[in-house]
């Protein structure tokens, strides 16, 4: 029996190695976007909740955009004493020529606090294009221009960006950054390349103001955990496409402890599971290194089993090298990759037994339809 179990684990691991190699070989950013003759006005919505690590640098990257059209920046917080809003006001003062609005409104419209914040910010927004950017996200200077160019492609209703992880708070944040860069992004790029996925990546999302109105505004999604996914699905129902633009934004990870890392990654994992249960089960194949190690342990580390483990490590190293080169960003060291993969596998397994999440200090139960319910 142990031999049979080991064979099953090692066989699945081999298939996982093949898929990992495919993700490395097929991953690419896509063709450059065209330069437009005219550039529409843009409103950038930055919802805030406290002072994330490097928040000032993240917000400064918004002011530093080299965009040819008018840009408005709207910051929003629930409380006037919010430390993130204080930083936003300081930066606005350092850029007196910028069109900036700071909205403080505690009104709550549903379980999703981020969307409640966005709803409160929207009356101040006057741009033809709306870009929503998380506070822990940092942009290259051409991000707005690239997103607007992506939206200008005929039939496109929403554009999001690829994500590169970067540590902002030490060891645990480095592991979090590695998960984004070396597990999540390769899977997204593989899905896009094979035509199996139409992802909307939440850290930065752009759509036209009239498209947002046509799908009911942010209020239509205020009780959803996977609001970015639901917004994308609503856009596609209008007959428009959702695309991932060929550029990276940097997500600054701020996990300072194992508990913080586990909590936020479990929330992401539950989100994916609720959106696509069968696809989530199928993502077992993305854990080839962990499966090979388990199989090798059961088999007693026989030479064939060790060979599969080595192949799995090599495939993951190739993915890491590929993603570092594409993003121009090194999320973490190769030496940490086995630990990162084992932690990801543990989270994968735990997701099947959990139906509640902790989101910025508030506990929610997540039902099968992906809705949040306060506990």
């Amino acid at each position: 029996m142990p031999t049979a179990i080991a064979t099953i684990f090692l066989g699945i691991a081999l298939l996982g190695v093949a898929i990992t190699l495919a993700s490395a070989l097929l991953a690419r950013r896509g063709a450059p976007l065209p330069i437009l003759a005219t550039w529409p006005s843009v409103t950038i919505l930055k919802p805030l909740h406290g002072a994330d690590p490097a928040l000032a640098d993240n917000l400064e990257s918004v002011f530093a955009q080299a965009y040819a059209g008018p840009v408005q920046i709207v910051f929003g917080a629930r409380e006037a004493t919010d430390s993130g809003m204080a930083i936003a006001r300081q930066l606005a003062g350092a850029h007196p020529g910028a069109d900036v609005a700071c909205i403080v409104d505690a009104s709550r419209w549903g379980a999703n606090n981020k969307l409640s914040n966005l709803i409160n910010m929207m009356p101040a927004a006057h741009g033809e294009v709306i870009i929503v950017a998380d506070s822990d996200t940092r942009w290259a200077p051409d991000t707005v221009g690239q997103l607007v160019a992506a939206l200008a492609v005929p039939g496109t209703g929403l554009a999001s960006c690829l994500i590169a992880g970067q540590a902002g708070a030490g060891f645990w944040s480095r592991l979090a950054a590695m998960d984004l860069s070396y597990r999540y992004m390769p899977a997204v790029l593989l899905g896009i390349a094979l035509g199996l996925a139409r992802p909307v990546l939440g850290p930065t999302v752009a759509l036209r103001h009239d498209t947002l109105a046509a799908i009911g505004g942010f209020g239509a999604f205020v009780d959803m955990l996977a609001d970015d996914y639901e917004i994308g699905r609503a856009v596609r129902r209008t007959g428009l496409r959702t695309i991932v633009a060929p550029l990276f934004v940097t997500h600054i990870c701020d996990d300072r402890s194992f508990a913080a890392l586990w909590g936020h990654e479990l929330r992401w994992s539950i989100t994916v599971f609720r959106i696509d249960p069968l696809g989530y089960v199928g993502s077992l194949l993305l854990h080839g290194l962990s499966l090979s190690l388990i199989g090798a342990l059961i088999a007693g580390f026989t030479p064939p089993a060790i060979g599969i483990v080595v192949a799995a490590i090599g495939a993951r190293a190739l993915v890491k090298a590929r993603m570092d080169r594409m993003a121009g960003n090194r999320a973490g060291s190769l030496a940490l990759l086995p630990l990162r993969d084992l932690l990801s596998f543990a989270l994968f397994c735990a997701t099947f037994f959990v139906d509640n999440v902790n989101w910025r200090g508030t506990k929610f139960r997540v039902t099968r339809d992906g809705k949040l319910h306060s506990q």
Side-chain angles (χ1 to χ4, degrees):
M1 180 65 74
T3 301
I5 295 173
T7 300
I8 291 171
F9 273 99
L10 292 171
I12 298 173
L14 266 178
L15 184 55
V17 169
I19 291 174
T20 301
L21 288 172
S23 71
L25 296 174
L26 293 175
R28 53 181 51 88
R29 294 177 63 164
L33 294 165
I35 297 175
L36 305 184
T38 59
W39 298 90
S41 59
V42 172
T43 292
I44 300 167
L45 302 179
K46 271 279 188 180
L48 303 170
H49 182 86
D52 300 319
L55 178 62
D57 290 338
N58 298 344
L59 300 187
E60 180 62 36
S61 74
V62 176
F63 286 98
Q65 288 301 295
Y67 181 66
V71 175
Q72 177 199 26
I73 304 169
V74 180
F75 298 111
R78 293 176 54 80
E79 300 176 356
T81 57
D82 187 280
S83 54
M85 180 59 78
I87 293 173
R89 291 185 190 278
Q90 290 174 2
L91 286 173
H95 296 272
D99 182 0
V100 180
C102 295
I103 307 300
V104 176
D105 191 334
S107 300
R108 185 169 178 174
W109 303 93
N112 189 316
N113 288 329
K114 173 184 171 181
L115 287 193
S116 287
N117 200 355
L118 289 172
I119 291 169
N120 296 334
M121 296 161 69
M122 275 303 294
H126 53 65
E128 299 167 80
V129 172
I130 302 295
I131 301 178
V132 180
D134 289 351
S135 59
D136 51 12
T137 300
R138 189 174 302 165
W139 288 351
D142 63 344
T143 299
V144 170
Q146 291 280 318
L147 283 169
V148 171
L151 284 178
V153 175
T156 302
L158 179 148
S160 57
C161 303
L162 299 168
I163 309 166
Q166 182 174 313
F171 175 76
W172 296 108
S173 67
R174 186 171 298 109
L175 288 181
M178 292 176 68
D179 185 63
L180 279 172
S181 290
Y182 306 143
R183 182 192 63 84
Y184 182 49
M185 274 302 98
V188 166
L189 289 165
L190 179 63
I192 293 172
L194 297 178
L196 300 175
R198 294 178 293 180
V200 175
L201 307 180
T204 298
V205 174
L207 68 171
R208 296 179 190 83
H209 205 144
D210 56 0
T211 301
L212 179 59
I215 62 174
F218 294 119
F221 313 96
V222 77
D223 287 320
M224 305 305 298
L225 174 60
D227 52 271
D228 48 357
Y229 171 82
E230 296 296 340
I231 290 171
R233 187 160 66 167
V235 169
R236 289 192 293 272
R237 286 198 207 103
T238 70
L240 298 171
R241 294 178 302 168
T242 60
I243 68 169
V244 178
L247 72 151
F248 280 85
V249 297
T250 303
H251 178 90
I252 309 299
C253 300
D254 65 349
D255 306 274
R256 299 177 183 275
S257 66
F258 171 77
L261 173 68
W262 182 271
H264 100 249
E265 289 194 0
L266 188 62
R267 173 169 63 84
W268 289 352
S269 189
I270 290 172
T271 301
V272 175
F273 181 44
R274 291 293 185 256
I275 290 171
D276 183 12
L278 290 178
Y280 184 80
V281 172
S283 71
L284 172 67
L285 296 174
L286 300 176
H287 297 280
L289 177 54
S290 297
L291 294 170
S292 70
L293 287 169
I294 293 170
L297 179 63
I298 296 172
F301 288 97
T302 61
I306 293 173
I308 294 174
V309 171
V310 171
I313 292 173
R316 291 291 288 142
L318 180 61
V319 165
K320 179 188 183 309
R322 175 77 166 165
M323 296 308 300
D324 285 348
R325 184 165 56 252
M326 284 179 59
N329 176 79
R330 183 175 179 269
S333 70
L334 184 61
L336 286 176
L337 203 53
L339 174 62
R340 174 62 263 185
D341 280 10
L342 287 170
L343 179 56
S344 296
F345 183 68
L347 281 156
F348 170 84
C349 296
T351 299
F352 294 100
F353 305 98
V354 178
D355 65 355
N356 58 79
V357 298
N358 189 308
W359 194 357
R360 290 192 179 269
T362 303
K363 291 185 177 180
F364 297 98
R365 181 173 58 87
V366 186
T367 53
R368 290 292 177 184
D369 58 0
K371 289 189 175 180
L372 293 165
H373 300 270
S374 300
Q375 291 190 310

